[in-house]
């Protein structure tokens, strides 16, 4: 061990992200000042990224148990039972700061990391989804940077997923000014496994051997977890922090995946863990902690890409495509043989002990010695101090050119469809292979959720979603809406939610207003998942997402997996048959507050959103889901950004058919009171309020609404069933040929929108012009 003259100082600890108080606590746990290796390892495992020290107390309040849950939080990924002896493993994680610094490799290695989480528990990856956020793509130099980041991130996701042979089946992209200096790249993966073949990560059995296999270890990614992912980004971070971004190799990962799955199939390993953030430090220490054992690890046995690496560099390197397993001594040769078969490096680098200590050696000489409990379990957890801000956090957006509340509704519809947040993502998702493995039943834009066939004729559905602007306006209600949106997407294809994962993307939690956003959002996440009986099985927290211009919108990305009994009845979003009737289902009460139209008008965020009747919304979701499963609907699509008119236009475009829609007087009567000036007489000003009511009815947003279509007799039956079950449902019109025509009856009678499919398609394809 080095003498005290060579020991790092408290300033070194501060540079690695620890506080003075945390450094002193490390000294107390060690019984002395830590050396270079020990300080590096503590700085990683006590970082926000690894320890969740500002969020763990909140996360403990979330529901994590349910009838379908097989593996919950605490392992590499969660898993739910999908029948037939199979489980679906799934998880979402972020790679935000690396992608802001180096978008291609940041996004690519984010995909690689989430795939390793899936096969680390013994599941074969079957699908990927992504959730992306960037600054506005059309304004000045900021737009140039946003397009650069998006191009790099999409290319990185496509490169990795396409190369390894896992389809990217869905996702979402939003463009908002608060993401300008801190983009978000969240990746979600799903896998399938036999229930009895799942493996956990706890190291057990003193005397068992620790084997590292996969790519050689280099200097890429050093400091990623502590220096990059656990601090705010600065203006000059692109260059100064680029070396902390990992470099990925999907072809190496493909071999690593097949090697890992064969080792598990043959029963040759006791436990398995991937190497992600903090590299060997986190993987070995966390395996020891879960198994309540110790580990002796010799860095001289680790295969290296660079021969002169120091022990601390080897321990904190975040080189990609590596796995760590525990093997009984008599199986070591068999494991090495499988590694050789798949042309994967394998090396015995340590042993499991009963010491309860993490001992790092180099050629048998001790260079680091730490209690496992101190490293993994004793990081201080902080109580955040939430306080609702008294002033707006985010400036009002720049209004779009020519936008006005008094503009003709037809012009407003086309402007919304062509806006970056609502236009077709085809130019982006066509860079991904969505059908490799031949399991994909519903591709992007064919349905509200991706659908994947299972061997027994049933199917999985998966959705990922969050509207950060609405969460910024109201962290509690906005998060409720994000969970309901995912469940609505599943309902539209006929799937029942089984479980939920989440990626909580927020700013600096040490600031009271960010702490308020985080605590309110987690409270809502728990309430919504309990109401839907869709427990949290795992997830990720990404904090300190802010730069010189301020914090990102709070963005609790929700991923939800569901199951349907008959893959052949998976729903579609687009109208299917001319002459079918169209109906509106659900407790839809649209408002312009924090809507996409409000953004285009340059309106500031409101202080709160209308409350949501979760029970009523869930009732509508169950009604739509059952109707899809019964084969009574030709199409189903939930109303989201852009409101009713945009949803109808999307149904037309997805099916290649128009629609004839009439909004009857009783529909306006339910809307007008919400838009009447305070103190107005109940029946006064009905016509004068028409303009506001029309805009809100057409383009207002709220959870709970669905546009469905089906044969006339089927919809007649559904209207009767809805009335008997207390679900709101009204027929709006019928599927037409090649024009979307919307008219109003009653006091606001008149033609509102007449637009051809060609005009709708031209507007909806506008994003492709920005990203050719």
């Amino acid at each position: 061990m080095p003498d005290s003259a060579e020991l790092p100082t408290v300033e070194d600890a501060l540079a690695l992200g620890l506080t003075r108080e945390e450094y002193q606590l490390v000294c107390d746990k060690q019984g002395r000042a830590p050396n270079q290796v020990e300080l590096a390892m503590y700085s990683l495992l006590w970082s926000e990224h690894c320890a969740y020290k500002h969020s763990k107390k909140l996360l403990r309040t979330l529901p994590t148990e349910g009838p379908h849950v097989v593996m919950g939080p605490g392992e590499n990924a969660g898993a739910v039972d999908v029948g037939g002896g199979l489980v679906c493993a799934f998880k979402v994680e972020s790679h935000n700061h690396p992608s802001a610094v180096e978008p291609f490799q940041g996004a690519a290695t984010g995909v690689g990391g989430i795939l390793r989480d899936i096969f680390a528990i013994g599941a074969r990856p079957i699908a990927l989804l992504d959730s992306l956020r960037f600054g506005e793509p059309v304004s000045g130099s900021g737009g140039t940077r946003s397009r650069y980041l998006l191009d790099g991130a999409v290319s990185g996701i496509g490169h990795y997923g396409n190369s390894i042979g896992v389809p990217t089946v869905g996702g979402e992209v939003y463009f908002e000014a608060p993401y300008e200096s801190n983009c978000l790249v969240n990746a979600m993966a799903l896998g399938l496994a036999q229930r009895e073949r799942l493996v956990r990560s706890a190291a057990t059995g003193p005397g068992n051997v620790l084997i590292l296999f996969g790519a050689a270890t280099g200097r890429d990614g050093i400091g990623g977890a502590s220096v990059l992912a656990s601090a705010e980004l600065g203006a000059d971070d692109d260059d100064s922090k680029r070396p902390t971004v990992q470099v990925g190799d999907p072809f190496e990962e493909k071999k690593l995946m097949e090697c890992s799955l064969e080792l598990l199939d043959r029963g040759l390993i006791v436990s398995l863990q991937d190497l992600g953030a903090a590299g060997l430090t986190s993987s070995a220490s966390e395996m020891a902690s879960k198994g309540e054992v110790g580990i002796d690890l010799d860095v001289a046995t680790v295969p290296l890409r660079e021969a002169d690496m120091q022990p601390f560099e080897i321990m904190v390197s975040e080189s990609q495509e590596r796995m760590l397993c525990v093997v009984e001594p008599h199986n070591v040769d068999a494991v090495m043989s499988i590694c050789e078969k798949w042309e994967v490096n394998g090396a015995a680098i340590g042993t499991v002990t009963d010491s309860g200590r993490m001992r790092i050696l180099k050629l048998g000489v001790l260079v680091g010695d730490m209690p496992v409990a101190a490293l993994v379990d004793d990081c201080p957890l902080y109580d955040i101090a939430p306080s609702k801000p008294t002033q707006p956090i985010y400036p009002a957006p720049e209004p779009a050119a020519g936008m006005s509340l008094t503009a003709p509704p037809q012009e407003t519809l086309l402007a919304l469809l062509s806006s970056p947040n609502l236009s077709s993502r085809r130019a982006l998702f066509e860079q991904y292979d969505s059908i490799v493995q031949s399991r994909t039943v519903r591709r992007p834009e064919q349905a509200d959720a991706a659908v994947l066939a299972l061997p027994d004729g049933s199917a999985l559905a998966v959705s990922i979603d969050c509207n950060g602007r609405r969460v910024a306006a109201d962290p509690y209600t906005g998060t409720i809406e994000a969970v309901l949106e995912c469940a609505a997407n599943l309902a539209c294809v006929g799937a029942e939610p089984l479980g939920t994962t989440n990626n909580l993307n927020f700013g600096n939690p040490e600031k009271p207003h960010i702490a308020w956003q985080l605590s309110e959002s987690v409270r809502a996440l728990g309430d919504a998942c309990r109401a839907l009986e869709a427990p949290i099985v795992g997830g990720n927290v990404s904090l300190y997402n802010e730069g010189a211009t301020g914090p990102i919108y709070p963005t609790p990305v929700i991923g939800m997996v569901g199951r349907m009994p008959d893959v052949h009845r998976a729903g579609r979003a687009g109208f299917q048959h001319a002459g079918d009737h169209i109906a509106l289902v659900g407790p839809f009460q649209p408002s312009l507050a924090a809507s996409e139209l409000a953004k285009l008008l340059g309106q500031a965020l409101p202080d709160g959103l209308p409350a949501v009747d979760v029970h009523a919304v869930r009732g509508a979701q169950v009604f739509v889901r059952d109707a899809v499963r019964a084969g009574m609907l030709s199409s189903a699509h939930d109303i989201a950004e852009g409101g009713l008119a945009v949803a109808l236009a999307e149904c037309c475009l997805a099916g290649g058919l128009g629609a004839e829609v009439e909004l009857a007087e009783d529909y306006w009567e339910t809307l007008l009171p919400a838009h009447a000036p305070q103190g107005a007489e109940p029946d006064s000003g009905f016509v004068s309020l028409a303009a506001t009511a029309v805009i809100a009815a057409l383009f207002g947003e709220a959870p709970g609404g669905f546009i469905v279509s089906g044969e006339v007799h089927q919809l007649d039956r559904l209207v009767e069933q809805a009335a008997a079950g207390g679900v709101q449902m009204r027929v709006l019109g019928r599927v037409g040929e090649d024009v979307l025509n919307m008219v109003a009856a009653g006091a606001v009678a008149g033609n509102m929108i007449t637009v051809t499919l060609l005009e709708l398609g031209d507007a909806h394809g506008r994003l492709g012009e920005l990203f050719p």
Side-chain angles (χ1 to χ4, degrees):
M1 303 284 280
D3 60 39
S4 59
E6 299 172 349
L7 294 178
T9 66
V10 65
E11 281 71 28
D12 295 316
L14 294 174
L16 291 175
L18 295 173
T19 66
R20 292 182 183 275
E21 294 76 16
E22 288 170 346
Y23 174 74
Q24 184 57 55
L25 184 58
V26 169
C27 293
D28 294 343
K29 297 291 182 182
Q30 288 290 112
R32 56 176 170 77
N35 66 23
Q36 185 183 46
V37 171
E38 295 161 347
L39 181 62
M41 293 176 67
Y42 273 107
S43 74
L44 288 170
L45 290 180
W46 285 24
S47 69
E48 185 66 49
H49 188 76
C50 294
Y52 288 12
K53 53 193 177 184
H54 286 94
S55 61
K56 186 171 286 187
K57 290 185 177 182
L58 292 174
L59 298 179
R60 289 171 177 166
T61 67
L62 295 174
T64 59
E65 297 180 351
H68 304 290
V69 177
V70 176
M71 188 176 285
E75 289 296 333
N76 288 285
V80 293
D81 193 317
V82 297
L86 291 177
V87 300
C88 174
F90 63 102
K91 189 180 182 182
V92 61
E93 280 200 345
S94 63
H95 233 218
N96 300 335
H97 288 182
S99 300
V101 172
E102 168 40 57
F104 181 92
Q105 289 295 350
T109 53
V111 171
I114 198 65
L115 289 174
R116 289 194 300 278
D117 283 335
I118 299 302
F119 65 78
I121 69 168
R124 176 173 291 278
I126 61 167
L128 289 162
L129 299 92
D130 53 80
S131 176
L132 312 176
R133 302 291 186 281
F134 302 94
E136 297 290 354
V138 293
S139 56
S141 59
T144 301
R145 173 172 168 77
S146 295
R147 291 194 293 274
Y148 159 72
L149 291 173
L150 178 61
D151 282 341
V154 170
S155 297
I157 291 166
H159 167 68
Y160 213 101
N162 295 352
S163 298
I164 202 171
V166 178
T168 300
V169 298
E172 53 161 11
V173 186
Y174 284 87
F175 301 94
E176 305 281 3
Y179 302 113
E180 177 63 48
S181 60
N182 199 133
C183 65
L184 301 183
V185 175
N186 292 183
M188 181 178 175
L190 289 77
L192 287 178
Q194 293 291 331
R195 181 167 181 158
E196 70 274 8
R197 303 305 294 271
L198 290 179
V199 64
R200 296 184 181 270
S201 56
T204 57
N208 284 342
V209 179
L210 209 64
I211 293 181
L212 175 67
F213 62 105
T217 298
R219 287 191 171 96
D220 53 316
I222 288 179
S226 60
V227 177
L228 181 58
S230 300
E232 296 179 20
L233 289 172
D236 61 348
D237 279 337
D238 280 15
D239 294 327
S240 65
K241 291 186 176 177
R242 187 166 280 116
T244 64
V245 179
Q246 309 94 330
V247 178
D249 182 349
F251 304 104
E252 186 70 29
E253 178 129 333
K254 172 64 174 175
K255 296 188 297 179
L256 182 68
M257 178 176 71
E258 298 299 342
C259 181
S260 298
L261 293 175
E262 182 168 348
L263 290 172
L264 290 168
D265 286 343
R266 296 198 178 193
L268 294 174
I269 57 181
V270 175
S271 56
L272 184 63
Q273 173 73 41
D274 82 299
L275 274 71
L280 271 173
T281 289
S282 64
S283 58
S285 300
E286 290 172 5
M287 291 178 85
S289 173
K290 291 174 183 177
E292 298 181 346
V293 295
I295 283 178
D296 285 0
L297 190 156
D298 196 323
V299 295
T301 61
V302 175
L304 303 178
R305 290 206 302 265
E306 301 170 67
D308 60 341
M309 291 181 68
Q310 297 298 309
F312 86 91
E313 292 179 307
I314 295 170
M315 289 306 301
V316 305
S317 166
E318 295 181 8
S319 292
Q320 297 291 286
E321 292 86 44
R322 298 181 297 164
M323 303 292 286
L324 192 64
C325 65
V326 173
V327 179
E328 294 178 354
H330 65 275
N331 282 328
V332 168
D333 289 343
V335 169
M336 293 301 186
S337 177
I338 299 299
C339 289
E340 184 178 354
K341 169 187 173 180
W342 289 103
E343 299 180 354
V344 168
N345 289 327
I349 65 169
T351 57
V352 178
T353 71
D354 59 4
S355 67
R357 302 190 70 84
M358 190 75 194
R359 291 172 15 111
I360 311 302
L361 305 99
K362 182 177 182 181
L363 295 173
V365 177
L366 193 65
V367 295
D369 187 358
M370 298 140 284
V372 170
L375 266 177
V376 180
D377 305 311
D378 293 348
C379 173
L381 302 182
Y382 297 110
D383 292 311
I384 58 176
S387 178
K388 183 177 180 179
T390 57
Q391 298 293 326
I393 302 173
Y394 307 96
E398 290 291 327
M403 290 301 299
S404 168
L405 270 175
T406 60
Q410 181 168 313
E411 293 181 10
T412 301
L413 172 61
L414 295 176
L416 283 166
L417 284 174
S418 64
S419 67
N421 282 344
L422 298 188
S423 56
S424 171
R425 272 65 178 130
R426 182 173 297 276
L428 306 182
F429 69 68
E430 284 189 341
Q431 299 183 47
Y432 307 144
D433 188 337
S434 63
I435 60 172
V436 65
Q437 298 190 20
S438 301
R439 190 178 278 107
T440 308
V441 178
R442 294 289 180 265
R443 306 185 197 181
E445 291 192 353
Q446 291 184 338
D448 283 22
V451 179
L452 302 160
L454 291 174
D456 64 357
S458 63
L460 287 175
V462 56
S463 176
I464 191 167
D465 217 288
C466 178
N467 186 320
R469 187 184 333 109
R470 296 184 72 81
V471 180
D474 188 327
Y476 182 85
T477 302
T479 302
I480 291 282
E481 291 184 358
V483 177
L484 291 175
E485 173 67 16
C486 270
N489 291 336
L490 298 187
C492 287
V493 297
E496 174 187 7
L498 301 177
T500 307
T501 184
N502 64 90
N503 203 136
L504 305 179
N505 304 274
F506 288 80
N508 185 342
E510 300 169 57
K511 299 176 180 178
H513 57 284
I514 302 298
W516 173 74
Q517 292 178 335
L518 178 61
S519 60
E520 285 294 283
S521 182
V522 172
R523 182 169 69 91
L525 179 58
D527 288 348
C529 288
R530 288 185 194 93
L532 296 178
E533 300 179 67
I536 300 292
V537 302
N540 178 244
V541 179
S542 175
L543 303 179
Y544 298 95
N545 288 292
E546 54 185 286
T549 58
I552 62 165
Y553 281 156
T555 313
V557 169
I558 308 300
M560 193 174 288
V561 169
R563 181 182 178 274
M564 66 195 71
D566 186 352
V567 66
H568 299 293
R569 288 190 169 177
R572 295 178 178 272
F575 296 140
Q576 298 297 303
H577 309 292
D580 276 359
H581 272 192
I582 301 167
L584 170 63
V585 176
F588 183 57
Q589 288 292 316
S591 165
L592 292 178
S595 65
E596 188 66 23
L597 178 56
K599 175 191 173 181
L600 296 187
L601 292 169
Q603 294 180 2
L605 290 176
D607 183 17
L609 294 173
V612 178
D613 185 341
V614 177
H615 177 75
V617 173
R618 187 189 182 195
Q621 292 179 355
V622 171
F623 179 83
V624 170
R625 180 183 77 211
D626 290 347
V628 172
R629 288 182 170 189
M632 299 178 72
L633 294 176
S634 302
S635 69
H637 180 44
D638 81 304
I639 303 174
E641 287 87 7
L644 174 67
V646 167
L648 284 164
E650 290 169 341
C651 293
C652 292
L653 289 170
L657 292 168
E660 299 286 337
V661 172
E662 179 181 273
L663 300 183
E665 186 166 4
D666 65 334
Y667 181 59
W668 301 112
E669 290 173 348
T670 64
L671 284 178
L672 289 176
H675 300 281
Q678 200 167 26
E681 292 296 324
D683 59 349
S684 69
F686 190 88
V687 176
S688 66
L689 289 171
T692 303
V694 166
I695 296 301
L698 295 179
F699 308 114
E701 299 172 15
F706 296 85
I707 297 296
V708 302
S709 69
E711 296 179 4
V712 176
H713 71 282
Q714 297 282 30
L715 256 65
D716 287 344
R717 288 174 57 198
L718 285 173
V719 168
E720 293 176 0
Q721 292 176 15
V727 175
Q728 297 179 42
M729 181 174 183
R730 54 162 53 90
V731 174
L732 299 181
R734 64 176 186 85
V735 178
E737 298 296 336
D738 59 358
V739 174
L740 171 60
N741 188 44
M742 299 183 68
V743 300
V748 291
N751 186 68
M752 295 184 295
I753 292 174
T754 300
V755 58
T756 66
L757 291 185
L758 182 61
E759 292 172 306
L760 291 174
D762 286 345
H764 203 224
R766 203 63 52 83
L767 188 66
E769 299 173 7
L770 295 175
F771 303 98

